Amino acid sequence: MNNPAETDPLYHSIRELIQQARQQVQRQINSTMVHIYWHIGQLIIEHEQQGEQRAAYGKQQLQQLSSRLTGEFGKGFDVTNLRNMRRFYQAFPIRETVSPELSWSHYNQLARLENPAARQWYQQEAIQQHWSVRALERQIGTLYYERLLSSQNKAPVEAEAQANTRALAVNPKDYLRDPYILDFLNLESGSYQEADLEGGIIHNLQQFLLEMGKGFAFVERQQRIRTDDGDYYIDLVFYNYLLKCFVLIDLKLNKLNHQDVGQMDMYVRLYEEQKRNPDDNPTIGLILRSEHNHTVAQYSVLKDSQQLFASRYLTVLPSEEELQRELERGRCKIEQQIKEQRGKYHE
């Protein structure tokens, strides 16, 4: 038998009305966010370009600006997001080229592309094909544009892209959970974003490694590293002064796959080329995956460093089992804190 709700005209009318309202809210919020963030990026760039002295302490100014804006307007104006706005304006300096059909989250992905031709192509395809943010991110990650250019038979590449788009179609009921929108409107809710959990785990892991007393010195969180196809951000970077090497950490909250391993290998190789000093030992990568009731820790080193890793590094570094236990402990702690905060909200 059919569900009565499915054949009820009243239900269908109300359902359609709600969906239309959601779409209107989505378009209005997106348009406002894109407009304001573009202008914020413009103001930051114009301010920084007023003189060399101002550019020299731009990083400190962004921190001060972030603190003041966050104090008055709430979340959404941390230093990372201000840098994203600045990069957005740099990538799209002509306001008329910014289409209101795409969201701020779309433009945050597009602005990371250093190739202007690729950026413009992905922008047009996202508009014409109605790509969600996740679909756009997937197409960029699979080098859709680059593969189309280099492929003599474009049909299989296009078919793969269409399949990716269908698999990542937008679910309207998820839209208002977008963390950018929550930040922009400074909404308080009983739910939490994956970034909250990720940040909490990373913070606890950072303290764990520093307290182990085995030579770890903290370097940076979300450190940017440049590649030919864009910028990447490494979750945590340490330097171990006993081993005289960098230790890169990447945290995943989903199932570990070969792409994650390949990405860490790329980080290690780029660090070897760009950051490692002549007297440093080879760089170490560490991939951590933390899912509910299941954790994985895996070291990553270049092949020519494996003997050194096995003979010396493991006498100083925490074992994968120790890291797994710390991930589980950190996740349980953060989830408990979130539950307590959620309980206070509903009181």
Side-chain angles (χ1 to χ4, degrees):
M1 294 182 62
N2 292 332
N3 187 330
E6 294 178 353
T7 58
D8 186 346
L10 176 62
Y11 165 79
H12 277 292
S13 297
I14 294 175
R15 180 175 180 271
E16 183 177 357
L17 186 65
I18 293 172
Q19 287 181 328
Q20 289 176 352
R22 279 179 168 164
Q23 291 171 357
Q24 290 173 0
V25 170
Q26 174 180 344
R27 286 194 295 267
Q28 183 176 355
I29 293 176
N30 278 336
S31 178
T32 303
M33 288 176 68
V34 168
H35 175 78
I36 291 177
Y37 285 179
W38 184 89
H39 280 288
I40 291 175
Q42 181 188 37
L43 289 172
I44 292 173
I45 289 294
E46 290 177 349
H47 183 79
E48 290 178 337
Q49 290 177 345
Q50 288 181 25
E52 293 183 3
Q53 181 181 4
R54 183 160 285 165
Y57 61 84
K59 183 176 181 180
Q60 181 181 357
Q61 277 213 320
L62 275 186
Q63 184 63 59
Q64 295 172 353
L65 179 64
S66 171
S67 298
R68 296 182 67 182
L69 290 173
T70 301
E72 183 170 355
F73 298 106
K75 297 191 301 181
F77 298 97
D78 57 38
V79 172
T80 298
N81 214 15
L82 291 178
R83 287 173 179 160
N84 289 341
M85 297 174 203
R86 179 174 60 185
R87 181 172 57 199
F88 174 35
Y89 174 75
Q90 289 174 319
F92 297 91
I94 302 174
R95 180 67 182 86
E96 289 71 23
T97 63
V98 179
S99 170
E101 296 182 56
L102 297 181
S103 70
W104 160 243
S105 297
H106 283 96
Y107 283 111
N108 197 33
Q109 291 293 328
L110 291 169
R112 297 175 186 274
L113 297 171
E114 293 189 355
N115 183 344
R119 187 189 309 130
Q120 182 180 7
W121 186 88
Y122 280 115
Q123 180 191 21
Q124 293 303 317
E125 285 296 303
I127 294 171
Q128 294 173 9
Q129 304 299 329
H130 304 287
W131 286 348
S132 68
V133 178
R134 292 178 60 209
L136 173 62
E137 185 177 8
R138 173 70 66 83
Q139 308 297 28
I140 293 174
T142 58
L143 303 178
Y144 182 25
Y145 170 74
E146 291 78 3
R147 288 189 295 136
L148 274 179
L149 282 183
S150 62
S151 176
Q152 295 182 352
N153 184 7
K154 294 180 171 41
V157 181
E158 292 172 341
E160 177 191 343
Q162 291 173 1
N164 287 338
T165 303
R166 288 193 297 269
L168 298 172
V170 174
N171 187 342
K173 71 180 181 180
D174 291 335
Y175 180 79
L176 291 180
R177 296 182 190 152
D178 190 314
Y180 283 116
I181 289 179
L182 290 175
D183 287 349
F184 177 68
L185 298 179
N186 195 23
L187 298 177
E188 296 292 338
S189 70
S191 63
Y192 63 91
Q193 301 300 319
E194 186 178 59
D196 299 328
L197 184 61
E198 180 177 347
I201 294 174
I202 286 178
H203 177 74
N204 281 271
L205 181 68
Q206 176 181 325
Q207 294 302 316
F208 166 72
L209 290 174
L210 291 174
E211 291 170 4
M212 286 185 65
K214 293 184 179 180
F216 283 98
F218 178 64
V219 176
E220 192 173 355
R221 182 175 173 182
Q222 292 297 316
Q223 186 179 68
R224 182 175 68 174
I225 187 165
R226 290 185 173 275
T227 69
D228 292 338
D229 61 341
D231 293 344
Y232 294 88
Y233 294 83
I234 306 172
D235 289 334
L236 286 172
V237 178
F238 290 88
Y239 189 84
N240 191 290
Y241 57 83
L242 295 179
L243 298 174
K244 290 188 66 63
C245 71
F246 287 100
V247 180
L248 318 180
I249 297 180
D250 202 22
L251 175 65
K252 302 293 182 183
L253 295 182
N254 51 15
K255 186 176 181 180
L256 192 68
N257 56 46
H258 68 280
Q259 291 179 336
D260 298 327
V261 177
Q263 186 178 60
M264 176 53 76
D265 289 343
M266 178 190 69
Y267 288 164
V268 171
R269 190 170 296 281
L270 287 170
Y271 233 82
E272 290 286 285
E273 297 172 357
Q274 300 179 16
K275 304 287 187 179
R276 179 185 169 191
N277 295 317
D279 56 342
D280 288 333
N281 282 320
T283 303
I284 300 170
L286 175 59
I287 307 170
L288 304 172
R289 177 169 72 90
S290 179
E291 287 185 310
H292 190 60
N293 295 328
H294 192 71
T295 57
V296 173
Q298 178 179 331
Y299 283 110
S300 175
V301 293
L302 300 182
K303 289 184 178 180
D304 53 5
S305 307
Q306 289 178 349
Q307 184 175 355
L308 176 62
F309 178 81
S311 63
R312 183 180 176 189
Y313 284 4
L314 288 179
T315 63
V316 175
L317 296 172
S319 67
E320 293 178 350
E321 290 76 16
E322 288 177 305
L323 289 164
Q324 288 173 11
R325 287 196 297 269
E326 177 58 24
L327 277 178
E328 292 171 358
R329 187 188 71 82
R331 186 180 186 106
C332 290
K333 180 179 178 181
I334 300 304
E335 287 183 334
Q336 182 60 35
Q337 290 174 350
I338 291 173
K339 287 179 182 178
E340 292 174 354
Q341 292 173 359
R342 188 184 296 172
K344 290 179 181 178
Y345 172 79
H346 288 294
E347 288 179 356

